[in-house]
Every structure is written in structure tokens, then in C-alpha cells.
Amino acid sequence: MRRPRPDERVPWSAEQAVAFLSHCRNVDPAFADLFEVIIGTGLRKGEALGLQRPCVRLDDRVMYIRHTLSAVDNHELVLTPPKTRKSRNWVPLSERVAAALQRATARSTATINGHVFQGPDGQPLHPAAVRRRFHELREQAALPHVTIHDLRHLAATLALEGNVSMAVISKTLRHSTLSTTANIYSHLTWDVARAAVNTIEARLHLVQARTRHDPDAPAHDVGLPNPLVSHAS
């Protein structure tokens, strides 16, 4: 991967994310579920903290983003609409994320419009308290400094490394436009673009080799490995 610009923060690797989640699971399961959801879906911190029980449909493996939780003057908690019109949307749930939400919901006070992620007093988690706890857990796990918002970038990075298209990532993160996604993650598309040209080269080489062996061989349906996936045993 290209070296990032000086103003770009390098997100954690998948290995670092797993180490962080494992540490959280051992010392603070409630926060482990919160960060599992953020990393697994790319939610913004306020969207995760503003998530309410009716918006989570575990049977359908989907949740609906309708609010964001923020603190006025770092004190009074308020629910406001999501950041943009496209931010108000649905987000699919993987099995890991659904399991984390199920645990969080079971742990929370069972009020109709209760927040999924709550403190011991049944109140929504304060964003500042979540930020402090995140850095405590990160330091305990001896991981590099990143912010909670960087976990959203981590989600995009993992998807890109898995060869998910930029259009799908833009939809998942609920950006207002595809160009927004492309601009934010332009430094990450280098490996994807390089993989594309390497795939072209590999296909040409393979067809060329087959043609030399058998000039009448069809030059189509040539299976090639995914250049972004390691095939080492």
C-alpha cells in the first residue's frame, strides 16, 4: 500500500481490530458489543449510541438509522436526525453484529424506545464517556492511537481489502455521494487499482501461454485467482 499523506491516520489492521475486540470481550463485554457493531457496520459513534430497540430487526438481519446521539455543551444528551439525508437508511447485519446487538439488547432496560447501548443506570451512554473508555481499552491492549471515528474508516478498509466495490461501500457507509467515498478513501484504492491491472496482465499471460500450446484453444472462461486474496497454504 502507498505511504499515506502526513495528514492521514493509518487505520488498524484486521489483526489489530481482532486483538482489540478480544481484549474488550475479556474486560468489558458491554463495550465490546458496541465496538463490534461500529467496526462491523461502519456506523458513526453518535448513530450507534442513538440506536433504539425498535430500529433493530434481528430476525431480518437489518437495522434502521433514524437518530444520532450527541451532547449539547458536552452535557445534555439530545437525539437529532442523522448527519445527511442518505445517512437515514437501513444497514444490513452480519452474524457477528447481530449477535452483538442481541447481547446488548438483552443487557439493556426493556423500555419500548430504550437505547440499545446503555449505562448501568439505564441511561444512554455519554459520547465523552465512550471516548474515554475507548482509549483506556486501546491503551490496555497496547494498540496505536486511533479515534472511534477511525473505526468507521477501518470498516471501509476491510471491505476494500475484500474486493468490495466502492459503490457498495458508499451505500453501506451511507455517504451522500459516491465521490465522497472515493475522495475519502482515494489512498486505499491504489491496491485495488493495482490488483485490476495485475489481473489484466495475468489473464493476457495465461491466454498467451494457452494459445502457444494449442492455437485453437478458446480465449475465454479462463479462471484466475483473486489477486487480493492470498492463496498460500
Side-chain angles (χ1 to χ4, degrees), residues 125-205:
L125 295 172
H126 194 289
V130 171
R131 183 174 60 252
R132 287 193 299 269
R133 186 58 175 149
F134 170 73
H135 287 297
E136 289 172 357
L137 293 166
R138 176 189 60 76
E139 290 172 359
Q140 291 170 8
L143 290 167
H145 177 84
V146 296
T147 67
I148 295 178
H149 192 73
D150 288 329
L151 301 183
R152 179 171 165 85
H153 298 320
L154 169 63
T157 302
L158 295 177
L160 275 170
E161 289 175 348
N163 208 23
V164 177
S165 73
M166 190 68 76
V168 172
I169 292 172
S170 182
K171 166 67 177 176
T172 303
L173 296 183
R174 293 159 294 112
H175 283 151
S176 55
T177 64
L178 177 59
S179 62
T180 299
T181 313
N183 289 336
I184 293 174
Y185 301 108
S186 60
H187 62 294
L188 298 178
T189 59
W190 173 256
D191 282 353
V192 176
R194 184 172 58 186
V197 297
N198 287 345
T199 299
I200 295 169
E201 178 186 58
R203 188 172 185 84
L204 290 173
H205 281 323

Coordinates of all heavy atoms in Angstrom, one line a residue, residues 125-205:
L125 N -25.5 6.0 26.8 CA -24.1 6.2 27.1 C -23.7 7.6 26.6 O -24.1 8.1 25.5 CB -23.2 5.2 26.4 CG -23.4 3.8 26.8 CD1 -22.6 2.8 25.9 CD2 -22.9 3.6 28.3
H126 N -22.9 8.4 27.4 CA -22.5 9.7 27.1 C -21.3 9.6 26.1 O -20.4 8.8 26.3 CB -22.1 10.5 28.3 CG -21.9 11.9 28.1 ND1 -20.9 12.5 27.3 CD2 -22.7 13.0 28.5 CE1 -21.0 13.8 27.3 NE2 -22.1 14.1 28.0
P127 N -21.4 10.3 25.0 CA -20.3 10.2 24.0 C -18.9 10.4 24.5 O -17.9 9.7 24.2 CB -20.7 11.3 22.9 CG -22.1 11.4 23.1 CD -22.4 11.2 24.5
A128 N -18.8 11.4 25.5 CA -17.4 11.7 26.0 C -17.0 10.5 26.9 O -15.8 10.1 26.9 CB -17.5 12.9 26.9
A129 N -17.9 9.8 27.6 CA -17.5 8.7 28.4 C -17.1 7.5 27.5 O -16.2 6.8 27.9 CB -18.7 8.3 29.3
V130 N -17.8 7.4 26.4 CA -17.5 6.3 25.5 C -16.1 6.5 24.9 O -15.3 5.6 24.8 CB -18.5 6.2 24.4 CG1 -18.1 5.2 23.3 CG2 -19.8 5.7 24.9
R131 N -15.8 7.8 24.6 CA -14.5 8.1 24.0 C -13.4 7.8 25.0 O -12.3 7.2 24.7 CB -14.4 9.6 23.6 CG -13.1 10.0 22.9 CD -13.2 11.4 22.4 NE -13.5 12.4 23.5 CZ -14.6 13.0 23.6 NH1 -15.6 12.8 22.8 NH2 -14.8 13.9 24.6
R132 N -13.6 8.2 26.3 CA -12.6 7.9 27.3 C -12.4 6.4 27.5 O -11.2 6.0 27.6 CB -13.0 8.6 28.6 CG -12.9 10.1 28.7 CD -13.0 10.6 30.1 NE -14.3 10.3 30.7 CZ -15.3 11.1 30.6 NH1 -15.3 12.2 30.0 NH2 -16.5 10.7 31.2
R133 N -13.5 5.7 27.5 CA -13.3 4.3 27.7 C -12.7 3.6 26.6 O -11.9 2.6 26.7 CB -14.7 3.7 28.0 CG -14.7 2.2 28.3 CD -13.9 1.9 29.6 NE -14.0 0.5 30.0 CZ -13.0 -0.1 30.7 NH1 -11.9 0.6 31.0 NH2 -13.1 -1.3 31.0
F134 N -12.9 4.1 25.4 CA -12.3 3.5 24.2 C -10.8 3.6 24.3 O -10.1 2.7 24.0 CB -12.8 4.2 22.9 CG -12.0 3.9 21.7 CD1 -12.1 2.7 21.1 CD2 -11.1 4.8 21.1 CE1 -11.4 2.3 19.9 CE2 -10.4 4.5 20.0 CZ -10.5 3.3 19.4
H135 N -10.3 4.8 24.7 CA -8.9 5.0 24.7 C -8.2 4.2 25.9 O -7.1 3.8 25.8 CB -8.5 6.5 24.8 CG -8.8 7.2 23.5 ND1 -8.0 6.9 22.4 CD2 -9.6 8.2 23.2 CE1 -8.5 7.7 21.4 NE2 -9.4 8.4 21.8
E136 N -9.0 4.0 27.0 CA -8.5 3.2 28.1 C -8.3 1.8 27.6 O -7.2 1.2 27.8 CB -9.5 3.2 29.2 CG -9.5 4.5 30.0 CD -10.7 4.5 31.0 OE1 -11.4 3.5 31.1 OE2 -10.8 5.5 31.8
L137 N -9.3 1.3 26.9 CA -9.2 -0.1 26.4 C -8.1 -0.3 25.3 O -7.4 -1.3 25.3 CB -10.6 -0.5 25.8 CG -11.7 -0.7 26.9 CD1 -13.0 -0.8 26.2 CD2 -11.5 -1.9 27.8
R138 N -8.0 0.7 24.5 CA -7.0 0.7 23.4 C -5.6 0.7 24.0 O -4.7 -0.1 23.6 CB -7.1 1.9 22.5 CG -6.1 2.1 21.4 CD -6.2 3.4 20.7 NE -6.0 4.5 21.6 CZ -4.8 4.9 22.1 NH1 -3.7 4.2 21.8 NH2 -4.7 6.0 22.9
E139 N -5.4 1.5 25.0 CA -4.1 1.6 25.7 C -3.8 0.3 26.4 O -2.6 -0.2 26.4 CB -4.0 2.7 26.6 CG -4.0 4.1 25.9 CD -4.1 5.3 26.9 OE1 -4.2 5.0 28.1 OE2 -4.0 6.4 26.4
Q140 N -4.8 -0.3 27.0 CA -4.6 -1.6 27.7 C -4.2 -2.7 26.7 O -3.4 -3.6 27.1 CB -5.9 -2.0 28.4 CG -6.2 -1.2 29.6 CD -7.6 -1.5 30.1 OE1 -8.3 -2.4 29.7 NE2 -8.1 -0.7 31.1
A141 N -4.7 -2.6 25.5 CA -4.4 -3.6 24.5 C -3.1 -3.3 23.7 O -2.7 -4.0 22.8 CB -5.6 -3.7 23.5
A142 N -2.5 -2.1 24.1 CA -1.2 -1.7 23.5 C -1.3 -1.5 22.0 O -0.5 -2.0 21.2 CB -0.1 -2.7 23.9
L143 N -2.4 -0.9 21.6 CA -2.6 -0.6 20.2 C -2.4 0.8 19.8 O -2.5 1.7 20.7 CB -4.1 -1.0 19.8 CG -4.3 -2.5 19.9 CD1 -5.8 -2.8 19.8 CD2 -3.6 -3.2 18.7
P144 N -2.0 1.1 18.6 CA -1.8 2.5 18.1 C -3.0 3.4 18.3 O -4.1 3.0 18.4 CB -1.4 2.4 16.6 CG -1.1 0.9 16.4 CD -1.9 0.2 17.5
H145 N -2.7 4.7 18.5 CA -3.7 5.7 18.7 C -4.6 5.9 17.4 O -4.1 6.1 16.3 CB -3.1 7.1 19.0 CG -4.2 8.1 19.2 ND1 -4.9 8.3 20.3 CD2 -4.7 9.0 18.3 CE1 -5.7 9.3 20.2 NE2 -5.6 9.8 18.9
V146 N -5.8 5.7 17.6 CA -6.8 6.0 16.6 C -8.0 6.5 17.3 O -8.1 6.4 18.5 CB -7.3 4.7 15.7 CG1 -6.1 4.2 14.9 CG2 -7.9 3.7 16.6
T147 N -9.0 7.1 16.6 CA -10.2 7.6 17.2 C -11.3 6.6 16.9 O -11.2 5.7 16.1 CB -10.6 9.0 16.7 OG1 -11.0 8.8 15.3 CG2 -9.5 10.0 16.8
I148 N -12.4 6.8 17.6 CA -13.6 5.9 17.4 C -14.1 6.1 15.9 O -14.5 5.2 15.3 CB -14.7 6.2 18.4 CG1 -14.3 5.9 19.8 CG2 -16.0 5.4 18.0 CD1 -15.3 6.2 20.9
H149 N -14.0 7.3 15.4 CA -14.4 7.6 14.0 C -13.5 6.8 13.1 O -13.9 6.4 12.0 CB -14.4 9.0 13.7 CG -15.1 9.4 12.4 ND1 -16.5 9.3 12.2 CD2 -14.6 9.7 11.2 CE1 -16.8 9.6 11.0 NE2 -15.7 9.8 10.3
D150 N -12.3 6.6 13.5 CA -11.4 5.8 12.6 C -11.8 4.4 12.5 O -11.4 3.7 11.5 CB -9.9 5.8 13.2 CG -9.3 7.2 13.0 OD1 -9.6 7.9 12.0 OD2 -8.4 7.5 13.9
L151 N -12.7 3.9 13.4 CA -13.2 2.5 13.2 C -14.1 2.5 12.0 O -14.3 1.4 11.4 CB -13.9 2.1 14.5 CG -13.1 2.1 15.8 CD1 -13.9 1.6 17.0 CD2 -11.8 1.3 15.7
R152 N -14.8 3.6 11.7 CA -15.6 3.7 10.5 C -14.7 3.5 9.3 O -15.0 2.8 8.3 CB -16.3 5.0 10.5 CG -17.2 5.2 9.3 CD -18.0 6.5 9.5 NE -18.7 7.1 8.4 CZ -19.8 6.7 7.9 NH1 -20.5 5.7 8.5 NH2 -20.4 7.2 6.8
H153 N -13.5 4.2 9.3 CA -12.6 4.0 8.2 C -12.0 2.6 8.2 O -11.7 2.1 7.1 CB -11.4 5.0 8.4 CG -11.9 6.5 8.4 ND1 -12.9 6.9 7.5 CD2 -11.5 7.5 9.1 CE1 -13.1 8.2 7.7 NE2 -12.3 8.6 8.7
L154 N -11.9 2.0 9.3 CA -11.4 0.6 9.4 C -12.4 -0.3 8.6 O -12.0 -1.2 7.9 CB -11.2 0.1 10.8 CG -11.0 -1.4 11.0 CD1 -9.7 -1.8 10.4 CD2 -11.0 -1.7 12.5
A155 N -13.7 -0.1 8.9 CA -14.7 -0.9 8.2 C -14.6 -0.8 6.7 O -14.6 -1.8 6.0 CB -16.1 -0.5 8.7
A156 N -14.4 0.4 6.2 CA -14.2 0.7 4.8 C -13.0 0.0 4.2 O -13.0 -0.6 3.2 CB -14.2 2.2 4.5
T157 N -11.9 0.1 5.0 CA -10.6 -0.5 4.6 C -10.8 -2.0 4.5 O -10.3 -2.6 3.5 CB -9.5 -0.2 5.6 OG1 -9.4 1.2 5.7 CG2 -8.2 -0.8 5.2
L158 N -11.4 -2.7 5.5 CA -11.6 -4.1 5.4 C -12.4 -4.5 4.2 O -12.1 -5.5 3.6 CB -12.2 -4.6 6.7 CG -11.4 -4.4 8.0 CD1 -12.1 -4.9 9.2 CD2 -10.0 -5.1 7.9
A159 N -13.4 -3.7 3.9 CA -14.3 -4.0 2.8 C -13.5 -3.9 1.5 O -13.6 -4.7 0.6 CB -15.5 -3.1 2.7
L160 N -12.7 -2.8 1.4 CA -11.9 -2.6 0.1 C -10.9 -3.8 0.0 O -10.6 -4.3 -1.1 CB -11.2 -1.3 0.2 CG -11.9 -0.1 -0.3 CD1 -11.2 1.2 0.1 CD2 -12.2 -0.1 -1.8
E161 N -10.3 -4.2 1.1 CA -9.3 -5.3 1.0 C -10.0 -6.6 0.6 O -9.3 -7.4 0.1 CB -8.6 -5.4 2.4 CG -7.6 -4.3 2.7 CD -7.0 -4.4 4.1 OE1 -7.5 -5.2 4.9 OE2 -6.1 -3.7 4.4
G162 N -11.3 -6.7 0.9 CA -12.0 -7.8 0.5 C -12.6 -7.7 -0.9 O -13.4 -8.6 -1.3
N163 N -12.1 -6.7 -1.7 CA -12.5 -6.5 -3.1 C -14.0 -6.1 -3.2 O -14.6 -6.4 -4.3 CB -12.2 -7.8 -3.9 CG -12.0 -7.4 -5.4 OD1 -11.6 -6.3 -5.7 ND2 -12.2 -8.4 -6.2
V164 N -14.6 -5.5 -2.2 CA -15.9 -4.9 -2.3 C -15.8 -3.6 -3.1 O -14.9 -2.9 -2.9 CB -16.5 -4.7 -0.9 CG1 -17.9 -4.0 -1.0 CG2 -16.6 -6.0 -0.1
S165 N -16.8 -3.4 -4.0 CA -16.7 -2.3 -4.9 C -16.9 -1.0 -4.1 O -17.6 -1.0 -3.0 CB -17.8 -2.3 -6.0 OG -19.1 -2.1 -5.4
M166 N -16.4 0.1 -4.6 CA -16.5 1.4 -3.9 C -18.0 1.8 -3.9 O -18.4 2.4 -2.9 CB -15.7 2.5 -4.7 CG -15.6 3.8 -4.0 SD -14.6 3.8 -2.5 CE -13.0 3.7 -3.2
A167 N -18.8 1.5 -4.9 CA -20.2 1.8 -4.9 C -20.9 1.1 -3.7 O -21.8 1.7 -3.0 CB -20.8 1.4 -6.2
V168 N -20.6 -0.1 -3.4 CA -21.3 -0.9 -2.3 C -20.8 -0.3 -1.0 O -21.6 -0.2 -0.1 CB -21.0 -2.4 -2.4 CG1 -21.5 -3.1 -1.2 CG2 -21.6 -2.9 -3.7
I169 N -19.5 0.0 -0.9 CA -19.0 0.6 0.4 C -19.7 1.9 0.6 O -20.1 2.3 1.7 CB -17.5 0.8 0.3 CG1 -16.8 -0.6 0.3 CG2 -17.0 1.6 1.5 CD1 -15.3 -0.6 0.0
S170 N -19.9 2.7 -0.4 CA -20.5 4.0 -0.3 C -22.0 3.9 0.2 O -22.4 4.6 1.1 CB -20.5 4.8 -1.6 OG -21.1 6.0 -1.5
K171 N -22.6 2.8 -0.3 CA -24.0 2.5 0.2 C -24.0 2.1 1.6 O -24.9 2.5 2.4 CB -24.6 1.5 -0.7 CG -25.9 0.8 -0.2 CD -27.0 1.8 -0.2 CE -28.3 1.1 0.3 NZ -29.5 2.0 0.4
T172 N -23.1 1.2 2.0 CA -23.0 0.7 3.3 C -22.7 1.8 4.3 O -23.3 1.9 5.4 CB -21.9 -0.4 3.4 OG1 -22.2 -1.4 2.5 CG2 -21.9 -1.0 4.8
L173 N -21.8 2.7 4.0 CA -21.5 3.8 4.9 C -22.5 4.9 4.8 O -22.4 5.9 5.6 CB -20.1 4.3 4.6 CG -18.9 3.3 4.8 CD1 -17.6 4.0 4.5 CD2 -18.9 2.7 6.2
R174 N -23.3 4.9 3.8 CA -24.4 5.9 3.7 C -23.9 7.3 3.4 O -24.3 8.3 4.0 CB -25.3 5.9 4.9 CG -26.1 4.6 5.0 CD -26.7 4.3 6.4 NE -25.6 4.1 7.4 CZ -25.2 4.9 8.3 NH1 -25.9 6.1 8.5 NH2 -24.2 4.7 9.1
H175 N -22.8 7.3 2.6 CA -22.3 8.6 2.2 C -23.3 9.3 1.2 O -24.1 8.6 0.6 CB -21.0 8.5 1.5 CG -19.8 8.3 2.4 ND1 -18.7 7.6 2.1 CD2 -19.7 8.6 3.7 CE1 -17.9 7.5 3.1 NE2 -18.4 8.2 4.1
S176 N -23.3 10.6 1.2 CA -24.2 11.4 0.4 C -24.0 11.1 -1.1 O -24.9 11.1 -1.9 CB -24.1 12.9 0.7 OG -22.8 13.3 0.5
T177 N -22.7 10.9 -1.5 CA -22.4 10.6 -2.9 C -21.3 9.6 -3.0 O -20.5 9.5 -2.1 CB -22.0 11.9 -3.7 OG1 -20.8 12.4 -3.1 CG2 -23.1 13.0 -3.6
L178 N -21.2 9.0 -4.2 CA -20.1 8.0 -4.4 C -18.7 8.8 -4.4 O -17.7 8.3 -3.9 CB -20.3 7.3 -5.7 CG -19.2 6.3 -6.1 CD1 -19.0 5.3 -5.1 CD2 -19.5 5.7 -7.5
S179 N -18.7 10.0 -4.9 CA -17.5 10.8 -4.9 C -17.0 11.1 -3.5 O -15.8 11.2 -3.3 CB -17.7 12.1 -5.7 OG -18.6 12.9 -5.1
T180 N -17.9 11.2 -2.6 CA -17.5 11.4 -1.2 C -16.6 10.2 -0.7 O -15.6 10.4 -0.1 CB -18.7 11.6 -0.3 OG1 -19.4 12.8 -0.7 CG2 -18.2 11.8 1.2
T181 N -17.1 9.0 -1.0 CA -16.4 7.8 -0.6 C -15.1 7.7 -1.3 O -14.1 7.4 -0.7 CB -17.3 6.6 -0.9 OG1 -18.6 6.8 -0.5 CG2 -16.7 5.4 -0.3
A182 N -15.1 8.0 -2.6 CA -13.9 7.9 -3.4 C -12.8 8.9 -2.9 O -11.6 8.6 -2.9 CB -14.2 8.1 -4.9
N183 N -13.2 10.1 -2.6 CA -12.3 11.1 -2.1 C -11.7 10.7 -0.7 O -10.5 10.9 -0.5 CB -13.0 12.5 -2.0 CG -13.3 13.1 -3.4 OD1 -12.6 12.7 -4.3 ND2 -14.3 14.0 -3.4
I184 N -12.5 10.2 0.2 CA -12.1 9.9 1.5 C -11.1 8.7 1.4 O -10.0 8.7 2.1 CB -13.2 9.5 2.4 CG1 -14.1 10.8 2.7 CG2 -12.7 8.9 3.7 CD1 -15.4 10.5 3.5
Y185 N -11.4 7.8 0.6 CA -10.6 6.5 0.5 C -9.7 6.4 -0.7 O -9.3 5.3 -1.1 CB -11.5 5.3 0.7 CG -12.2 5.4 2.0 CD1 -13.6 5.6 2.0 CD2 -11.6 5.2 3.2 CE1 -14.3 5.7 3.2 CE2 -12.3 5.3 4.4 CZ -13.6 5.6 4.4 OH -14.3 5.7 5.6
S186 N -9.4 7.6 -1.3 CA -8.5 7.5 -2.5 C -7.2 6.9 -2.3 O -6.7 6.2 -3.1 CB -8.3 9.0 -3.0 OG -7.6 9.8 -2.0
H187 N -6.6 7.0 -1.1 CA -5.3 6.4 -0.8 C -5.4 4.9 -0.7 O -4.4 4.2 -0.8 CB -4.7 7.0 0.5 CG -5.6 6.7 1.7 ND1 -6.8 7.3 1.9 CD2 -5.3 6.0 2.8 CE1 -7.3 6.9 3.1 NE2 -6.4 6.1 3.6
L188 N -6.6 4.4 -0.4 CA -6.8 2.9 -0.3 C -7.1 2.3 -1.6 O -7.0 1.1 -1.8 CB -8.0 2.6 0.7 CG -7.8 3.1 2.1 CD1 -9.0 2.8 2.9 CD2 -6.5 2.5 2.7
T189 N -7.6 3.0 -2.6 CA -7.9 2.5 -3.9 C -6.7 2.1 -4.7 O -6.8 1.4 -5.7 CB -8.8 3.4 -4.7 OG1 -8.1 4.6 -4.9 CG2 -10.1 3.7 -4.0
W190 N -5.5 2.5 -4.3 CA -4.3 2.2 -5.0 C -4.1 0.7 -5.1 O -3.9 0.2 -6.2 CB -3.1 2.8 -4.3 CG -1.8 2.4 -4.9 CD1 -0.9 1.5 -4.3 CD2 -1.1 2.8 -6.1 NE1 0.2 1.3 -5.1 CE2 0.1 2.1 -6.2 CE3 -1.5 3.7 -7.0 CZ2 0.9 2.4 -7.3 CZ3 -0.7 3.9 -8.1 CH2 0.5 3.3 -8.2
D191 N -4.2 -0.1 -4.1 CA -4.1 -1.5 -4.1 C -5.2 -2.2 -5.0 O -4.9 -3.1 -5.7 CB -4.1 -2.1 -2.7 CG -2.8 -1.9 -1.9 OD1 -1.9 -1.4 -2.6 OD2 -2.8 -2.2 -0.7
V192 N -6.4 -1.6 -4.9 CA -7.5 -2.2 -5.7 C -7.2 -1.9 -7.2 O -7.4 -2.8 -8.0 CB -8.8 -1.6 -5.3 CG1 -9.9 -2.1 -6.2 CG2 -9.1 -1.9 -3.8
A193 N -6.7 -0.7 -7.5 CA -6.4 -0.4 -8.9 C -5.3 -1.2 -9.4 O -5.2 -1.7 -10.6 CB -6.1 1.1 -9.1
R194 N -4.3 -1.4 -8.6 CA -3.1 -2.2 -8.9 C -3.5 -3.7 -9.2 O -3.0 -4.3 -10.1 CB -2.0 -2.1 -7.9 CG -0.7 -2.9 -8.2 CD 0.4 -2.6 -7.2 NE 0.0 -3.0 -5.9 CZ 0.7 -2.8 -4.8 NH1 1.8 -2.1 -4.9 NH2 0.3 -3.2 -3.6
A195 N -4.4 -4.2 -8.3 CA -4.9 -5.5 -8.5 C -5.6 -5.7 -9.8 O -5.5 -6.7 -10.5 CB -5.8 -5.9 -7.3
A196 N -6.3 -4.6 -10.2 CA -7.1 -4.7 -11.5 C -6.1 -4.8 -12.7 O -6.3 -5.7 -13.6 CB -7.9 -3.4 -11.7
V197 N -5.1 -4.0 -12.7 CA -4.1 -4.1 -13.9 C -3.3 -5.4 -13.8 O -3.0 -6.0 -14.8 CB -3.2 -2.9 -13.9 CG1 -4.0 -1.6 -14.2 CG2 -2.4 -2.7 -12.7
N198 N -3.0 -5.9 -12.6 CA -2.3 -7.2 -12.5 C -3.2 -8.3 -13.0 O -2.7 -9.3 -13.5 CB -1.9 -7.4 -11.0 CG -0.8 -6.5 -10.6 OD1 -0.1 -5.9 -11.4 ND2 -0.6 -6.4 -9.3
T199 N -4.5 -8.2 -12.7 CA -5.4 -9.2 -13.2 C -5.5 -9.2 -14.8 O -5.5 -10.3 -15.4 CB -6.9 -9.0 -12.7 OG1 -6.8 -9.1 -11.3 CG2 -7.9 -10.0 -13.2
I200 N -5.5 -8.0 -15.4 CA -5.4 -7.9 -16.8 C -4.1 -8.6 -17.4 O -4.2 -9.4 -18.3 CB -5.5 -6.4 -17.3 CG1 -6.8 -5.8 -16.9 CG2 -5.2 -6.3 -18.8 CD1 -6.9 -4.3 -17.0
E201 N -3.0 -8.2 -16.7 CA -1.7 -8.8 -17.2 C -1.7 -10.3 -17.0 O -1.3 -11.1 -17.9 CB -0.6 -8.2 -16.3 CG 0.8 -8.8 -16.7 CD 1.8 -8.3 -15.7 OE1 1.7 -8.5 -14.5 OE2 2.8 -7.7 -16.2
A202 N -2.2 -10.8 -15.9 CA -2.3 -12.3 -15.6 C -3.1 -13.0 -16.7 O -2.8 -14.1 -17.2 CB -2.7 -12.6 -14.2
R203 N -4.2 -12.4 -17.0 CA -5.2 -13.0 -18.0 C -4.5 -13.1 -19.4 O -4.6 -14.1 -20.1 CB -6.5 -12.2 -18.1 CG -7.5 -12.9 -18.9 CD -8.9 -12.3 -18.8 NE -9.9 -13.1 -19.5 CZ -10.5 -14.1 -19.0 NH1 -10.3 -14.5 -17.8 NH2 -11.4 -14.8 -19.8
L204 N -3.8 -12.0 -19.7 CA -3.2 -12.0 -21.0 C -2.1 -13.0 -21.1 O -1.9 -13.7 -22.1 CB -2.6 -10.6 -21.3 CG -3.6 -9.5 -21.6 CD1 -2.9 -8.1 -21.6 CD2 -4.4 -9.8 -22.9
H205 N -1.3 -13.1 -20.0 CA -0.2 -14.1 -20.0 C -0.7 -15.5 -20.1 O -0.2 -16.4 -20.8 CB 0.6 -14.0 -18.7 CG 1.6 -12.8 -18.7 ND1 2.3 -12.5 -19.8 CD2 2.0 -12.0 -17.7 CE1 3.1 -11.4 -19.5 NE2 2.9 -11.1 -18.2

